[in-house]
Amino acid sequence: MNSLEQAEAARIVFLNSAVVSGNCRDLKAFERRLTEYIHCLQPATGRWRMLLIVVSVCTATGAWNWLIDPETQKVSFFTSLWNHPFFTISCITLIGLFFAGIHKRVVAPSIIAARCRTVLAEYNMSCDDTGKLILKPRPHVQ
């Protein structure tokens, strides 16, 4: 191998390593951005989960009191709801929250991670629920 071939081989190795390191930088930037985005959603998701838990417990407690009340069976449905405003208000609030999309907001980071996993699967990659990229080993072809 003469010096010209050695120089060309060194240049090819340098170019290949530059391409690989450029791709790694892109992957690292994508991973940082995905992790940052999912991390920024966590506080809001936690608050939505807490609100959903509180309203669900209030609705369940109100429903229990509504069902064990002996007057509930003797009066009409709307009168029984009027007699139990705690249950009525909490039930309306829960229904309103679901119409507002709380079921999507509670699981938003999981939805984003699942969609990213779907796209990354084409490249033998995945990500966990925090946005950290996972490289899958390629199957060995013999």
PDB file of all heavy atoms in Angstrom, residues 26-62:
ATOM      1  N   ASP A  26     -26.944  13.741  16.563  1.00  0.00           N
ATOM      2  CA  ASP A  26     -28.364  13.909  16.262  1.00  0.00           C
ATOM      3  C   ASP A  26     -29.222  13.053  17.189  1.00  0.00           C
ATOM      4  O   ASP A  26     -30.250  13.501  17.683  1.00  0.00           O
ATOM      5  CB  ASP A  26     -28.659  13.543  14.808  1.00  0.00           C
ATOM      6  CG  ASP A  26     -28.108  14.559  13.824  1.00  0.00           C
ATOM      7  OD1 ASP A  26     -27.751  15.675  14.265  1.00  0.00           O
ATOM      8  OD2 ASP A  26     -28.035  14.231  12.633  1.00  0.00           O
ATOM      9  N   LEU A  27     -28.786  11.808  17.408  1.00  0.00           N
ATOM     10  CA  LEU A  27     -29.529  10.932  18.316  1.00  0.00           C
ATOM     11  C   LEU A  27     -29.530  11.474  19.734  1.00  0.00           C
ATOM     12  O   LEU A  27     -30.551  11.444  20.421  1.00  0.00           O
ATOM     13  CB  LEU A  27     -28.947   9.514  18.296  1.00  0.00           C
ATOM     14  CG  LEU A  27     -29.282   8.666  17.089  1.00  0.00           C
ATOM     15  CD1 LEU A  27     -28.528   7.349  17.147  1.00  0.00           C
ATOM     16  CD2 LEU A  27     -30.767   8.422  16.998  1.00  0.00           C
ATOM     17  N   LYS A  28     -28.379  11.962  20.170  1.00  0.00           N
ATOM     18  CA  LYS A  28     -28.288  12.528  21.524  1.00  0.00           C
ATOM     19  C   LYS A  28     -29.166  13.768  21.648  1.00  0.00           C
ATOM     20  O   LYS A  28     -29.829  13.979  22.658  1.00  0.00           O
ATOM     21  CB  LYS A  28     -26.835  12.863  21.878  1.00  0.00           C
ATOM     22  CG  LYS A  28     -25.988  11.653  22.119  1.00  0.00           C
ATOM     23  CD  LYS A  28     -26.437  10.933  23.357  1.00  0.00           C
ATOM     24  CE  LYS A  28     -25.560   9.745  23.648  1.00  0.00           C
ATOM     25  NZ  LYS A  28     -26.048   8.931  24.729  1.00  0.00           N
ATOM     26  N   ALA A  29     -29.180  14.600  20.607  1.00  0.00           N
ATOM     27  CA  ALA A  29     -30.027  15.798  20.637  1.00  0.00           C
ATOM     28  C   ALA A  29     -31.502  15.401  20.660  1.00  0.00           C
ATOM     29  O   ALA A  29     -32.301  15.985  21.406  1.00  0.00           O
ATOM     30  CB  ALA A  29     -29.729  16.680  19.428  1.00  0.00           C
ATOM     31  N   PHE A  30     -31.860  14.403  19.843  1.00  0.00           N
ATOM     32  CA  PHE A  30     -33.245  13.924  19.841  1.00  0.00           C
ATOM     33  C   PHE A  30     -33.620  13.358  21.206  1.00  0.00           C
ATOM     34  O   PHE A  30     -34.695  13.637  21.734  1.00  0.00           O
ATOM     35  CB  PHE A  30     -33.418  12.852  18.761  1.00  0.00           C
ATOM     36  CG  PHE A  30     -34.774  12.193  18.773  1.00  0.00           C
ATOM     37  CD1 PHE A  30     -35.889  12.879  18.331  1.00  0.00           C
ATOM     38  CD2 PHE A  30     -34.925  10.897  19.247  1.00  0.00           C
ATOM     39  CE1 PHE A  30     -37.146  12.283  18.341  1.00  0.00           C
ATOM     40  CE2 PHE A  30     -36.173  10.294  19.268  1.00  0.00           C
ATOM     41  CZ  PHE A  30     -37.284  10.990  18.819  1.00  0.00           C
ATOM     42  N   GLU A  31     -32.716  12.571  21.792  1.00  0.00           N
ATOM     43  CA  GLU A  31     -32.977  11.979  23.102  1.00  0.00           C
ATOM     44  C   GLU A  31     -33.126  13.060  24.171  1.00  0.00           C
ATOM     45  O   GLU A  31     -34.040  13.008  24.994  1.00  0.00           O
ATOM     46  CB  GLU A  31     -31.839  11.028  23.474  1.00  0.00           C
ATOM     47  CG  GLU A  31     -32.027  10.367  24.824  1.00  0.00           C
ATOM     48  CD  GLU A  31     -30.857   9.469  25.175  1.00  0.00           C
ATOM     49  OE1 GLU A  31     -29.700   9.828  24.904  1.00  0.00           O
ATOM     50  OE2 GLU A  31     -31.117   8.398  25.726  1.00  0.00           O
ATOM     51  N   ARG A  32     -32.243  14.058  24.155  1.00  0.00           N
ATOM     52  CA  ARG A  32     -32.344  15.149  25.131  1.00  0.00           C
ATOM     53  C   ARG A  32     -33.662  15.901  24.985  1.00  0.00           C
ATOM     54  O   ARG A  32     -34.319  16.214  25.971  1.00  0.00           O
ATOM     55  CB  ARG A  32     -31.179  16.118  24.970  1.00  0.00           C
ATOM     56  CG  ARG A  32     -29.925  15.699  25.682  1.00  0.00           C
ATOM     57  CD  ARG A  32     -28.923  16.849  25.756  1.00  0.00           C
ATOM     58  NE  ARG A  32     -28.623  17.429  24.457  1.00  0.00           N
ATOM     59  CZ  ARG A  32     -27.655  17.021  23.655  1.00  0.00           C
ATOM     60  NH1 ARG A  32     -26.886  16.026  24.005  1.00  0.00           N
ATOM     61  NH2 ARG A  32     -27.452  17.613  22.494  1.00  0.00           N
ATOM     62  N   ARG A  33     -34.046  16.174  23.736  1.00  0.00           N
ATOM     63  CA  ARG A  33     -35.297  16.924  23.501  1.00  0.00           C
ATOM     64  C   ARG A  33     -36.512  16.108  23.914  1.00  0.00           C
ATOM     65  O   ARG A  33     -37.427  16.639  24.541  1.00  0.00           O
ATOM     66  CB  ARG A  33     -35.388  17.303  22.011  1.00  0.00           C
ATOM     67  CG  ARG A  33     -36.602  18.113  21.689  1.00  0.00           C
ATOM     68  CD  ARG A  33     -36.548  19.479  22.340  1.00  0.00           C
ATOM     69  NE  ARG A  33     -37.750  20.199  22.038  1.00  0.00           N
ATOM     70  CZ  ARG A  33     -38.607  20.662  22.946  1.00  0.00           C
ATOM     71  NH1 ARG A  33     -38.365  20.516  24.216  1.00  0.00           N
ATOM     72  NH2 ARG A  33     -39.689  21.289  22.575  1.00  0.00           N
ATOM     73  N   LEU A  34     -36.518  14.816  23.593  1.00  0.00           N
ATOM     74  CA  LEU A  34     -37.630  13.959  23.980  1.00  0.00           C
ATOM     75  C   LEU A  34     -37.718  13.828  25.497  1.00  0.00           C
ATOM     76  O   LEU A  34     -38.797  13.937  26.085  1.00  0.00           O
ATOM     77  CB  LEU A  34     -37.473  12.581  23.333  1.00  0.00           C
ATOM     78  CG  LEU A  34     -38.570  11.555  23.609  1.00  0.00           C
ATOM     79  CD1 LEU A  34     -39.907  12.057  23.092  1.00  0.00           C
ATOM     80  CD2 LEU A  34     -38.211  10.225  22.966  1.00  0.00           C
ATOM     81  N   THR A  35     -36.563  13.637  26.148  1.00  0.00           N
ATOM     82  CA  THR A  35     -36.532  13.539  27.605  1.00  0.00           C
ATOM     83  C   THR A  35     -37.005  14.843  28.247  1.00  0.00           C
ATOM     84  O   THR A  35     -37.775  14.832  29.210  1.00  0.00           O
ATOM     85  CB  THR A  35     -35.110  13.203  28.081  1.00  0.00           C
ATOM     86  OG1 THR A  35     -34.685  12.004  27.441  1.00  0.00           O
ATOM     87  CG2 THR A  35     -35.055  13.017  29.581  1.00  0.00           C
ATOM     88  N   GLU A  36     -36.542  15.966  27.694  1.00  0.00           N
ATOM     89  CA  GLU A  36     -36.950  17.274  28.210  1.00  0.00           C
ATOM     90  C   GLU A  36     -38.458  17.478  28.072  1.00  0.00           C
ATOM     91  O   GLU A  36     -39.123  17.945  28.997  1.00  0.00           O
ATOM     92  CB  GLU A  36     -36.196  18.358  27.454  1.00  0.00           C
ATOM     93  CG  GLU A  36     -36.601  19.768  27.783  1.00  0.00           C
ATOM     94  CD  GLU A  36     -35.936  20.771  26.862  1.00  0.00           C
ATOM     95  OE1 GLU A  36     -34.809  20.512  26.404  1.00  0.00           O
ATOM     96  OE2 GLU A  36     -36.545  21.814  26.598  1.00  0.00           O
ATOM     97  N   TYR A  37     -39.000  17.106  26.911  1.00  0.00           N
ATOM     98  CA  TYR A  37     -40.429  17.295  26.674  1.00  0.00           C
ATOM     99  C   TYR A  37     -41.268  16.432  27.615  1.00  0.00           C
ATOM    100  O   TYR A  37     -42.232  16.913  28.208  1.00  0.00           O
ATOM    101  CB  TYR A  37     -40.756  16.970  25.211  1.00  0.00           C
ATOM    102  CG  TYR A  37     -42.175  17.298  24.835  1.00  0.00           C
ATOM    103  CD1 TYR A  37     -42.600  18.614  24.724  1.00  0.00           C
ATOM    104  CD2 TYR A  37     -43.104  16.291  24.612  1.00  0.00           C
ATOM    105  CE1 TYR A  37     -43.902  18.918  24.389  1.00  0.00           C
ATOM    106  CE2 TYR A  37     -44.406  16.589  24.280  1.00  0.00           C
ATOM    107  CZ  TYR A  37     -44.798  17.904  24.168  1.00  0.00           C
ATOM    108  OH  TYR A  37     -46.093  18.187  23.857  1.00  0.00           O
ATOM    109  N   ILE A  38     -40.881  15.170  27.759  1.00  0.00           N
ATOM    110  CA  ILE A  38     -41.629  14.281  28.661  1.00  0.00           C
ATOM    111  C   ILE A  38     -41.476  14.749  30.101  1.00  0.00           C
ATOM    112  O   ILE A  38     -42.438  14.727  30.876  1.00  0.00           O
ATOM    113  CB  ILE A  38     -41.174  12.820  28.471  1.00  0.00           C
ATOM    114  CG1 ILE A  38     -41.659  12.313  27.111  1.00  0.00           C
ATOM    115  CG2 ILE A  38     -41.686  11.927  29.588  1.00  0.00           C
ATOM    116  CD1 ILE A  38     -41.166  10.929  26.746  1.00  0.00           C
ATOM    117  N   HIS A  39     -40.272  15.211  30.464  1.00  0.00           N
ATOM    118  CA  HIS A  39     -40.044  15.700  31.823  1.00  0.00           C
ATOM    119  C   HIS A  39     -40.889  16.942  32.111  1.00  0.00           C
ATOM    120  O   HIS A  39     -41.399  17.103  33.219  1.00  0.00           O
ATOM    121  CB  HIS A  39     -38.561  15.996  32.031  1.00  0.00           C
ATOM    122  CG  HIS A  39     -38.223  16.473  33.398  1.00  0.00           C
ATOM    123  ND1 HIS A  39     -38.267  15.644  34.498  1.00  0.00           N
ATOM    124  CD2 HIS A  39     -37.870  17.695  33.860  1.00  0.00           C
ATOM    125  CE1 HIS A  39     -37.939  16.339  35.566  1.00  0.00           C
ATOM    126  NE2 HIS A  39     -37.698  17.586  35.213  1.00  0.00           N
ATOM    127  N   CYS A  40     -41.040  17.807  31.114  1.00  0.00           N
ATOM    128  CA  CYS A  40     -41.862  19.018  31.300  1.00  0.00           C
ATOM    129  C   CYS A  40     -43.340  18.680  31.451  1.00  0.00           C
ATOM    130  O   CYS A  40     -44.084  19.436  32.072  1.00  0.00           O
ATOM    131  CB  CYS A  40     -41.662  19.976  30.134  1.00  0.00           C
ATOM    132  SG  CYS A  40     -40.073  20.789  30.141  1.00  0.00           S
ATOM    133  N   LEU A  41     -43.782  17.564  30.885  1.00  0.00           N
ATOM    134  CA  LEU A  41     -45.182  17.159  31.008  1.00  0.00           C
ATOM    135  C   LEU A  41     -45.492  16.541  32.371  1.00  0.00           C
ATOM    136  O   LEU A  41     -46.653  16.517  32.787  1.00  0.00           O
ATOM    137  CB  LEU A  41     -45.539  16.142  29.924  1.00  0.00           C
ATOM    138  CG  LEU A  41     -45.712  16.653  28.509  1.00  0.00           C
ATOM    139  CD1 LEU A  41     -45.961  15.495  27.567  1.00  0.00           C
ATOM    140  CD2 LEU A  41     -46.848  17.646  28.426  1.00  0.00           C
ATOM    141  N   GLN A  42     -44.475  16.037  33.067  1.00  0.00           N
ATOM    142  CA  GLN A  42     -44.711  15.301  34.308  1.00  0.00           C
ATOM    143  C   GLN A  42     -45.432  16.115  35.390  1.00  0.00           C
ATOM    144  O   GLN A  42     -46.367  15.599  36.004  1.00  0.00           O
ATOM    145  CB  GLN A  42     -43.390  14.738  34.858  1.00  0.00           C
ATOM    146  CG  GLN A  42     -42.780  13.655  34.008  1.00  0.00           C
ATOM    147  CD  GLN A  42     -43.637  12.415  33.890  1.00  0.00           C
ATOM    148  OE1 GLN A  42     -44.502  12.150  34.711  1.00  0.00           O
ATOM    149  NE2 GLN A  42     -43.412  11.659  32.837  1.00  0.00           N
ATOM    150  N   PRO A  43     -45.046  17.371  35.678  1.00  0.00           N
ATOM    151  CA  PRO A  43     -45.776  18.104  36.730  1.00  0.00           C
ATOM    152  C   PRO A  43     -47.259  18.299  36.404  1.00  0.00           C
ATOM    153  O   PRO A  43     -48.121  18.099  37.269  1.00  0.00           O
ATOM    154  CB  PRO A  43     -45.054  19.453  36.807  1.00  0.00           C
ATOM    155  CG  PRO A  43     -43.712  19.195  36.243  1.00  0.00           C
ATOM    156  CD  PRO A  43     -43.890  18.125  35.211  1.00  0.00           C
ATOM    157  N   ALA A  44     -47.556  18.666  35.164  1.00  0.00           N
ATOM    158  CA  ALA A  44     -48.957  18.868  34.781  1.00  0.00           C
ATOM    159  C   ALA A  44     -49.715  17.542  34.824  1.00  0.00           C
ATOM    160  O   ALA A  44     -50.866  17.488  35.285  1.00  0.00           O
ATOM    161  CB  ALA A  44     -49.041  19.471  33.380  1.00  0.00           C
ATOM    162  N   THR A  45     -49.060  16.471  34.375  1.00  0.00           N
ATOM    163  CA  THR A  45     -49.689  15.157  34.411  1.00  0.00           C
ATOM    164  C   THR A  45     -49.979  14.742  35.843  1.00  0.00           C
ATOM    165  O   THR A  45     -51.047  14.195  36.135  1.00  0.00           O
ATOM    166  CB  THR A  45     -48.775  14.114  33.726  1.00  0.00           C
ATOM    167  OG1 THR A  45     -48.566  14.526  32.380  1.00  0.00           O
ATOM    168  CG2 THR A  45     -49.390  12.743  33.736  1.00  0.00           C
ATOM    169  N   GLY A  46     -49.050  15.018  36.748  1.00  0.00           N
ATOM    170  CA  GLY A  46     -49.256  14.698  38.162  1.00  0.00           C
ATOM    171  C   GLY A  46     -50.438  15.457  38.752  1.00  0.00           C
ATOM    172  O   GLY A  46     -51.224  14.899  39.521  1.00  0.00           O
ATOM    173  N   ARG A  47     -50.555  16.724  38.392  1.00  0.00           N
ATOM    174  CA  ARG A  47     -51.694  17.516  38.895  1.00  0.00           C
ATOM    175  C   ARG A  47     -53.015  16.997  38.340  1.00  0.00           C
ATOM    176  O   ARG A  47     -54.013  16.910  39.070  1.00  0.00           O
ATOM    177  CB  ARG A  47     -51.494  18.989  38.534  1.00  0.00           C
ATOM    178  CG  ARG A  47     -50.427  19.672  39.369  1.00  0.00           C
ATOM    179  CD  ARG A  47     -50.443  21.170  39.163  1.00  0.00           C
ATOM    180  NE  ARG A  47     -50.078  21.560  37.811  1.00  0.00           N
ATOM    181  CZ  ARG A  47     -48.843  21.822  37.408  1.00  0.00           C
ATOM    182  NH1 ARG A  47     -47.847  21.731  38.254  1.00  0.00           N
ATOM    183  NH2 ARG A  47     -48.608  22.186  36.159  1.00  0.00           N
ATOM    184  N   TRP A  48     -53.047  16.637  37.050  1.00  0.00           N
ATOM    185  CA  TRP A  48     -54.276  16.089  36.467  1.00  0.00           C
ATOM    186  C   TRP A  48     -54.637  14.760  37.122  1.00  0.00           C
ATOM    187  O   TRP A  48     -55.808  14.486  37.373  1.00  0.00           O
ATOM    188  CB  TRP A  48     -54.134  15.911  34.961  1.00  0.00           C
ATOM    189  CG  TRP A  48     -54.234  17.197  34.190  1.00  0.00           C
ATOM    190  CD1 TRP A  48     -53.260  17.799  33.477  1.00  0.00           C
ATOM    191  CD2 TRP A  48     -55.384  18.037  34.070  1.00  0.00           C
ATOM    192  NE1 TRP A  48     -53.724  18.961  32.913  1.00  0.00           N
ATOM    193  CE2 TRP A  48     -55.026  19.124  33.266  1.00  0.00           C
ATOM    194  CE3 TRP A  48     -56.683  17.971  34.570  1.00  0.00           C
ATOM    195  CZ2 TRP A  48     -55.912  20.138  32.942  1.00  0.00           C
ATOM    196  CZ3 TRP A  48     -57.578  18.988  34.239  1.00  0.00           C
ATOM    197  CH2 TRP A  48     -57.193  20.051  33.441  1.00  0.00           C
ATOM    198  N   ARG A  49     -53.625  13.929  37.394  1.00  0.00           N
ATOM    199  CA  ARG A  49     -53.890  12.643  38.064  1.00  0.00           C
ATOM    200  C   ARG A  49     -54.453  12.872  39.454  1.00  0.00           C
ATOM    201  O   ARG A  49     -55.374  12.180  39.884  1.00  0.00           O
ATOM    202  CB  ARG A  49     -52.610  11.819  38.151  1.00  0.00           C
ATOM    203  CG  ARG A  49     -52.210  11.209  36.841  1.00  0.00           C
ATOM    204  CD  ARG A  49     -50.931  10.412  36.948  1.00  0.00           C
ATOM    205  NE  ARG A  49     -50.579   9.894  35.635  1.00  0.00           N
ATOM    206  CZ  ARG A  49     -49.389   9.491  35.292  1.00  0.00           C
ATOM    207  NH1 ARG A  49     -48.404   9.529  36.167  1.00  0.00           N
ATOM    208  NH2 ARG A  49     -49.157   9.039  34.083  1.00  0.00           N
ATOM    209  N   MET A  50     -53.876  13.837  40.180  1.00  0.00           N
ATOM    210  CA  MET A  50     -54.363  14.127  41.528  1.00  0.00           C
ATOM    211  C   MET A  50     -55.804  14.628  41.489  1.00  0.00           C
ATOM    212  O   MET A  50     -56.633  14.211  42.313  1.00  0.00           O
ATOM    213  CB  MET A  50     -53.443  15.177  42.159  1.00  0.00           C
ATOM    214  CG  MET A  50     -53.318  15.093  43.608  1.00  0.00           C
ATOM    215  SD  MET A  50     -52.851  13.415  44.033  1.00  0.00           S
ATOM    216  CE  MET A  50     -52.670  13.635  45.711  1.00  0.00           C
ATOM    217  N   LEU A  51     -56.109  15.513  40.555  1.00  0.00           N
ATOM    218  CA  LEU A  51     -57.476  16.021  40.416  1.00  0.00           C
ATOM    219  C   LEU A  51     -58.444  14.890  40.094  1.00  0.00           C
ATOM    220  O   LEU A  51     -59.534  14.804  40.680  1.00  0.00           O
ATOM    221  CB  LEU A  51     -57.534  17.096  39.329  1.00  0.00           C
ATOM    222  CG  LEU A  51     -58.903  17.699  39.042  1.00  0.00           C
ATOM    223  CD1 LEU A  51     -59.413  18.462  40.250  1.00  0.00           C
ATOM    224  CD2 LEU A  51     -58.831  18.598  37.817  1.00  0.00           C
ATOM    225  N   LEU A  52     -58.040  14.009  39.184  1.00  0.00           N
ATOM    226  CA  LEU A  52     -58.896  12.873  38.825  1.00  0.00           C
ATOM    227  C   LEU A  52     -59.128  11.964  40.017  1.00  0.00           C
ATOM    228  O   LEU A  52     -60.251  11.494  40.242  1.00  0.00           O
ATOM    229  CB  LEU A  52     -58.279  12.091  37.661  1.00  0.00           C
ATOM    230  CG  LEU A  52     -59.085  10.902  37.148  1.00  0.00           C
ATOM    231  CD1 LEU A  52     -60.439  11.356  36.610  1.00  0.00           C
ATOM    232  CD2 LEU A  52     -58.302  10.161  36.076  1.00  0.00           C
ATOM    233  N   ILE A  53     -58.108  11.710  40.808  1.00  0.00           N
ATOM    234  CA  ILE A  53     -58.252  10.861  41.998  1.00  0.00           C
ATOM    235  C   ILE A  53     -59.202  11.501  43.003  1.00  0.00           C
ATOM    236  O   ILE A  53     -60.098  10.840  43.537  1.00  0.00           O
ATOM    237  CB  ILE A  53     -56.876  10.582  42.630  1.00  0.00           C
ATOM    238  CG1 ILE A  53     -56.075   9.629  41.741  1.00  0.00           C
ATOM    239  CG2 ILE A  53     -57.007  10.008  44.031  1.00  0.00           C
ATOM    240  CD1 ILE A  53     -54.619   9.489  42.137  1.00  0.00           C
ATOM    241  N   VAL A  54     -59.014  12.792  43.253  1.00  0.00           N
ATOM    242  CA  VAL A  54     -59.862  13.487  44.238  1.00  0.00           C
ATOM    243  C   VAL A  54     -61.319  13.478  43.795  1.00  0.00           C
ATOM    244  O   VAL A  54     -62.223  13.157  44.585  1.00  0.00           O
ATOM    245  CB  VAL A  54     -59.349  14.933  44.460  1.00  0.00           C
ATOM    246  CG1 VAL A  54     -60.362  15.766  45.224  1.00  0.00           C
ATOM    247  CG2 VAL A  54     -58.023  14.912  45.194  1.00  0.00           C
ATOM    248  N   VAL A  55     -61.578  13.819  42.541  1.00  0.00           N
ATOM    249  CA  VAL A  55     -62.959  13.867  42.048  1.00  0.00           C
ATOM    250  C   VAL A  55     -63.559  12.459  42.018  1.00  0.00           C
ATOM    251  O   VAL A  55     -64.744  12.280  42.348  1.00  0.00           O
ATOM    252  CB  VAL A  55     -63.023  14.556  40.661  1.00  0.00           C
ATOM    253  CG1 VAL A  55     -64.413  14.458  40.064  1.00  0.00           C
ATOM    254  CG2 VAL A  55     -62.624  16.008  40.795  1.00  0.00           C
ATOM    255  N   SER A  56     -62.761  11.456  41.677  1.00  0.00           N
ATOM    256  CA  SER A  56     -63.271  10.076  41.668  1.00  0.00           C
ATOM    257  C   SER A  56     -63.622   9.605  43.073  1.00  0.00           C
ATOM    258  O   SER A  56     -64.668   8.959  43.268  1.00  0.00           O
ATOM    259  CB  SER A  56     -62.227   9.133  41.060  1.00  0.00           C
ATOM    260  OG  SER A  56     -61.996   9.459  39.726  1.00  0.00           O
ATOM    261  N   VAL A  57     -62.781   9.930  44.047  1.00  0.00           N
ATOM    262  CA  VAL A  57     -63.078   9.548  45.441  1.00  0.00           C
ATOM    263  C   VAL A  57     -64.320  10.282  45.933  1.00  0.00           C
ATOM    264  O   VAL A  57     -65.174   9.682  46.611  1.00  0.00           O
ATOM    265  CB  VAL A  57     -61.856   9.810  46.354  1.00  0.00           C
ATOM    266  CG1 VAL A  57     -62.220   9.716  47.815  1.00  0.00           C
ATOM    267  CG2 VAL A  57     -60.733   8.842  46.014  1.00  0.00           C
ATOM    268  N   CYS A  58     -64.438  11.565  45.600  1.00  0.00           N
ATOM    269  CA  CYS A  58     -65.639  12.321  45.993  1.00  0.00           C
ATOM    270  C   CYS A  58     -66.895  11.718  45.355  1.00  0.00           C
ATOM    271  O   CYS A  58     -67.930  11.588  46.017  1.00  0.00           O
ATOM    272  CB  CYS A  58     -65.501  13.782  45.584  1.00  0.00           C
ATOM    273  SG  CYS A  58     -64.325  14.704  46.571  1.00  0.00           S
ATOM    274  N   THR A  59     -66.794  11.353  44.087  1.00  0.00           N
ATOM    275  CA  THR A  59     -67.940  10.748  43.405  1.00  0.00           C
ATOM    276  C   THR A  59     -68.299   9.407  44.031  1.00  0.00           C
ATOM    277  O   THR A  59     -69.482   9.107  44.246  1.00  0.00           O
ATOM    278  CB  THR A  59     -67.643  10.577  41.905  1.00  0.00           C
ATOM    279  OG1 THR A  59     -67.318  11.856  41.356  1.00  0.00           O
ATOM    280  CG2 THR A  59     -68.837  10.022  41.169  1.00  0.00           C
ATOM    281  N   ALA A  60     -67.302   8.603  44.337  1.00  0.00           N
ATOM    282  CA  ALA A  60     -67.558   7.289  44.950  1.00  0.00           C
ATOM    283  C   ALA A  60     -68.170   7.441  46.342  1.00  0.00           C
ATOM    284  O   ALA A  60     -69.118   6.721  46.702  1.00  0.00           O
ATOM    285  CB  ALA A  60     -66.269   6.480  45.016  1.00  0.00           C
ATOM    286  N   THR A  61     -67.658   8.386  47.117  1.00  0.00           N
ATOM    287  CA  THR A  61     -68.216   8.628  48.454  1.00  0.00           C
ATOM    288  C   THR A  61     -69.651   9.135  48.362  1.00  0.00           C
ATOM    289  O   THR A  61     -70.538   8.675  49.101  1.00  0.00           O
ATOM    290  CB  THR A  61     -67.346   9.654  49.208  1.00  0.00           C
ATOM    291  OG1 THR A  61     -66.001   9.193  49.232  1.00  0.00           O
ATOM    292  CG2 THR A  61     -67.843   9.870  50.623  1.00  0.00           C
ATOM    293  N   GLY A  62     -69.881  10.074  47.460  1.00  0.00           N
ATOM    294  CA  GLY A  62     -71.238  10.589  47.263  1.00  0.00           C
ATOM    295  C   GLY A  62     -72.185   9.509  46.773  1.00  0.00           C
ATOM    296  O   GLY A  62     -73.351   9.447  47.194  1.00  0.00           O
TER     297      GLY A  62
END
